[in-house]
Structures are given as C-alpha cells and as structure tokens.
C-alpha cells in the first residue's frame, strides 16, 4: 500500500471525551470546534501553516473559539492537519489523502505558509497513487463522502476515474506493483486478476452507481470494446440488484439472512435497473439474451419506467432467436390478469424481431424450411393465417397445398353443418345444438339471418376457388420448369428431347456426340416424355 509519513515528533495529542488536548505543557490559547468535537490548541502552529486561520485570528485577536463546521473531512481530517502543523508524525494513505487535500485547500495551506505545506504534499501523493490501480480505486471511493463537492472542484474524482479507465482499457499500464495488496489495502476482499479480460469487473462493482456510471462513460469515450462494457454492466447488475441476482444464483437462505440488513430498497433497485439498461450497448448479440429477459422480468416486478421496459423489449427482439421458451414465460403483473403470462410483451418482442429479420430467415435452405414448417399444425391456423400462408411464395409448396386442403375441408364441414342445422333446428338436442353453433362460428354464421350466412359461405367458396386456380397455375409453371431442366440434363449428357412425330413413332435424328444407337435414344426419350405426362396428369 502506498503511504507517506510526515513530521518527526511522536504523537502529543490525546482525547478526553469529546476534547482533543495537546500535551506540550503550554496552556492552549485557541479552541477549534468541528461538530461536537473540540480541539484545544495554540495559535502560532496553526497560523504558520494556514492562511484562513491567520486571517480569522487577525480579524479578532481576542477570539479564542473558531468554528470550522464546514471543513471537508470533518474532525477526523482536522486531527491529522493539527498533527501536521505541530510537526507530529502523520501518515498519508489512499484512504485519507482526498479528504486532506480538500481540507488543505479549504484552509489555504499553500507554499506561502511554509515550504512543503500540506497542499503540495497531498497533491504529490495523489499523483503517485494514480500509478496504482487499487490505491486509485480506494481514493475514488473516499470521494463519495462529504468531500465530494470539493473533490469535484479540484478534479480529484475525474482524475481518479481517468486513471482507472486507462488501466482497464490497456492492462499493460498496470504494473505488477499495482496489484500487490496488504491486508489493509484490500477492498472488500477483492483481488485483481489481470490475466483475463474481465479482471477489473469485480473491483469497479464496489463503486456507487454515480461513480460507476462516470467510469463506464469514460470507458465508452476511450472506445473500449462493447463486449467488455456489456460484461461489466452484467456483473454490476447481478451484484447490485439482489432481486435480479437471486434469479441467477437461486434462493440461498444463508446468504439472504446475511445481506438482508444492507439490501437496497425497491426504489433503489428500480433506479439501478433503469440506469444499467440505459448504459447497455446497442449492439446485437453483445449482451446475453437470457440476462436481458431476466432484467425485463425484474424491471416489470419493480414497476420500472415504460421507456426502460420498451428498450429491453427492443434489445431482446433483435436477438429473440437466442431465447429459450422458459425465459419467455414472463408473469403477467399488469392490471389486467386475463392471462397467466404476459403475451402482449412477447408479441411486441416478436414484432421487433420481424422488423430486424424481415427477410421470413434468408440463410435457411429449402430442406431446413421444410423441417421448420413441419412443426406447424395446418389444421389449427386461423382464416387470416391460412390466407397469408396461401399467398406466401417463400413457403414450401407442400405446406401451401396442405393449408388449402384443410381450408377446403373446413369449408365443406361448415356448409354441411349449416344445412344440417337448418333441417333439424326444431328436433336437435342440446349437444347437437352446441356442435351446430361451433360449425356456424367457423363460417361467421349469423343465426338470426341464414341468408347472410349463406352469402358468407358463397364468398368464402369463391375465394378458395381463386386460390385453387392460382395454385394450379403455379404447379403448371413448376412442371414446365421441371421439363426444361430435364432437357438441360439430357443436353449435358449429349442427348436432347425430340418431339414425337405426328404419324410416326420412330426418331428421325440420332443423338449427337454419343455412341448410343437411334433405337436406344428413342426409348429413352419416349420414356422420359411419358413420365412427364404422367406427372402433369397427377398434378392436374
């Protein structure tokens, strides 16, 4: 641990209740009050080092009590300053240098009041510890205390953050001495490991959210890889938001009982979630989808802002293909509890995915498309879905034919049920009536107006006939293309299809560039033609 000892005398100060006394043997002539603590000191050692104290005492020579309640660092920092003024040994450490630097600035302890005064001493020590990762981190953490406004004014906070960002972005700047830690220099038992890229995740996770945000913004400004920024945010979120971390590590009764006293409130956790989501890189695939889904679930449970949830849904939608089904089962915690899980949320994420991947997966092969379509039950498609499938040119032909077949089957069932319900309306039982209502619902039947229902059936039949004719034309085109492809194949083999003469079954020309006899060529060509005709007949 970096440290510096100032002064040469042994400690001459001792505490009596709330009063610090000096054992020099001379009676004190000034009392400095800071909060509830009083310091019984002498004027000369103080005014020889501090311009502010000299000014106060010159204005009122008789004044024996000086109040410094706004001193940065409070009574703890002033005790060290008093020792420095009396020449008593004191030690500068990463834990006290920030408060001493701010207090020295407040008391105006410049070089005009003695060579090697406290301002220059603390400033030199700060520049020294900036070369050490762990010491800089300790100094930055002390900036969160009551010295923050003064530390900001002196740019101590920004310099600490800049030093840490440079080392995180370029580990070669971290020397071996930077991670040598004494028991007093460990931060929560954390030990840096520079051998891997995420060696700094755990250390910076000990910072408060405002300082951590500034660190991450500095890292982004240094063009740090998005993977590292995302990894650090994931680590920080798991550690700082207990409700989120419990989803990853499971419920541990021992851990929960030990940290229950310091668990942040739901409001604090909600604020952390919103801030972390805002800092996540807008790069697809950088942040794990499983993590994003759990953050979304936690954000909903904490009633985070709508913009936070919308941002998460958009990020998840961009990489929805990486999600597992279990992770998509988000409990419905809204005001309308019509469903157990939040279906609307999944629908919005799917819409985002379709916008990003607007090409219905262009990298899939035809065989892979067929495998995916086998998972679809064509019998359970709605009318809208069936219409879309029938008009989708990118779907496999077999699937389109199945959709049209089942739609036609539904139509026949609906028409038969309608006529059956009309003939047996007065004699049907309750069970038959329910079946009739089901059949009528399939065709949008209005029981009070059978003529309107019949018109609906006619319109649907007409639409299906048009779709059938369209499909028939497409099949014919495909068969023509298939026949042309056969001609190409035979040409590559050195033969070509010869149309059959109107009154003669023999071939007039022999095959070119081959030793096959005309007779064998005729047989091959005729057989191929018969197969094409048979295929056309089956399709028609």
């Amino acid at each position: 641990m970096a440290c510096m000892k100032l002064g040469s005398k042994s400690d001459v100060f001792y505490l009596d209740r709330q009063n610090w006394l000096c054992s020099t043997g001379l009676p004190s002539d000034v009392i400095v009050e800071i909060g509830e603590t009083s310091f019984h000191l002498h004027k000369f050692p103080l005014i020889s080092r501090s311009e502010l104290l000299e000014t106060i005492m010159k204005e009122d020579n008789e004044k024996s009590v000086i109040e410094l309640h706004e001193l940065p660092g409070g009574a703890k920092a002033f005790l060290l300053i008093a020792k420095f003024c009396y020449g008593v040994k004191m030690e500068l450490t990463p834990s006290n240098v920030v408060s001493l630097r701010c207090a020295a600035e407040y008391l105006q302890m410049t070089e005009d009041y003695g060579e090697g005064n406290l301002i220059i001493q603390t400033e030199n020590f700060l520049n020294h510890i900036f070369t050490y990762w762990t010491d800089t981190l300790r100094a930055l953490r002390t900036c969160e205390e009551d010295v923050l406004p003064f530390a900001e004014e002196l740019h101590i906070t920004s310099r600490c953050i800049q030093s840490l960002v440079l080392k995180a972005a370029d580990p070669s700047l971290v020397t071996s001495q930077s991670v040598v830690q004494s028991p007093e220099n460990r931060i929560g038992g954390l030990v840096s490991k520079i051998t891997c890229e995420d060696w700094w995740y755990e250390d910076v996770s000990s910072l408060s959210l405002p300082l951590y945000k500034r660190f991450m913004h500095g890292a982004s400004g240094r063009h740090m890889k998005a993977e590292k920024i995302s990894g650090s945010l994931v680590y920080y979120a798991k550690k700082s938001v207990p409700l989120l971390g419990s989803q990853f590590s499971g419920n541990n009764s021992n851990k929960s009982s030990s940290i229950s006293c310091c668990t942040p409130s739901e409001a604090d956790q909600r604020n952390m979630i919103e801030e972390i989501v805002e800092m996540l890189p807008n790069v697809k695939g950088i942040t794990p989808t499983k993590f994003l889904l759990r953050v979304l679930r936690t954000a909903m449970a904490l009633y985070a802002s709508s913009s936070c949830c919308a941002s998460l849904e958009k990020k998840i939608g961009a990489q929805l293909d990486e999600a597992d089904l279990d992770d998509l089962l988000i409990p419905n915690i809204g005001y309308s509890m019509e469903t157990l899980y939040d279906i609307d949320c999944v629908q919005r994420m799917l819409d985002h995915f379709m916008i990003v991947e607007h090409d219905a997966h262009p990298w899939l092969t035809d065989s892979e498309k067929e495998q995916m379509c086998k998972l679809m039950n064509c019998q359970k498609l709605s009318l809208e879905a069936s219409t879309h499938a029938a008009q989708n040119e990118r779907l496999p032909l077999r699937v389109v034919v199945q959709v049209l077949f089942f739609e036609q089957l539904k139509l026949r069932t609906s028409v038969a049920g309608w006529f059956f319900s009309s003939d047996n309306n007065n004699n049907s039982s309750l069970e038959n009536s329910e079946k009739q209502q089901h059949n009528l619902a399939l065709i949008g039947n209005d029981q009070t107006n059978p003529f309107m229902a019949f018109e609906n059936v006619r319109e649907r039949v007409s639409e299906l006939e048009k779709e059938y004719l369209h499909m028939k034309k497409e099949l014919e085109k495909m068969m023509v293309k298939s026949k042309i492809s056969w001609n190409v194949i035979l040409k590559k083999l050195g033969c070509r299809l010869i149309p059959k003469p109107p009154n003669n079954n023999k071939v007039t020309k022999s095959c070119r560039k081959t030793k096959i006899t005309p007779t064998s060529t005729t047989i091959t060509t005729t057989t191929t033609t018969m197969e094409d005709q048979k295929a056309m007949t089956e399709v028609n």
Side-chain angles (χ1 to χ4, degrees), residues 103 200 207 278 332 338:
W200 52 273
L207 298 174
E278 185 178 356
N332 194 346
E338 298 178 356

Side-chain angles (χ1 to χ4, degrees), residues 161 165 200 204 211-221 224 228-230 232-233 279:
I161 293 175
V165 168
W200 52 273
V204 298
L211 291 181
Y212 178 77
K213 280 184 60 179
R214 293 177 63 175
F215 173 86
M216 296 308 297
H217 286 313
S220 300
M224 183 181 289
K228 290 185 178 181
I229 294 178
S230 176
S232 177
L233 288 168
M279 289 187 287

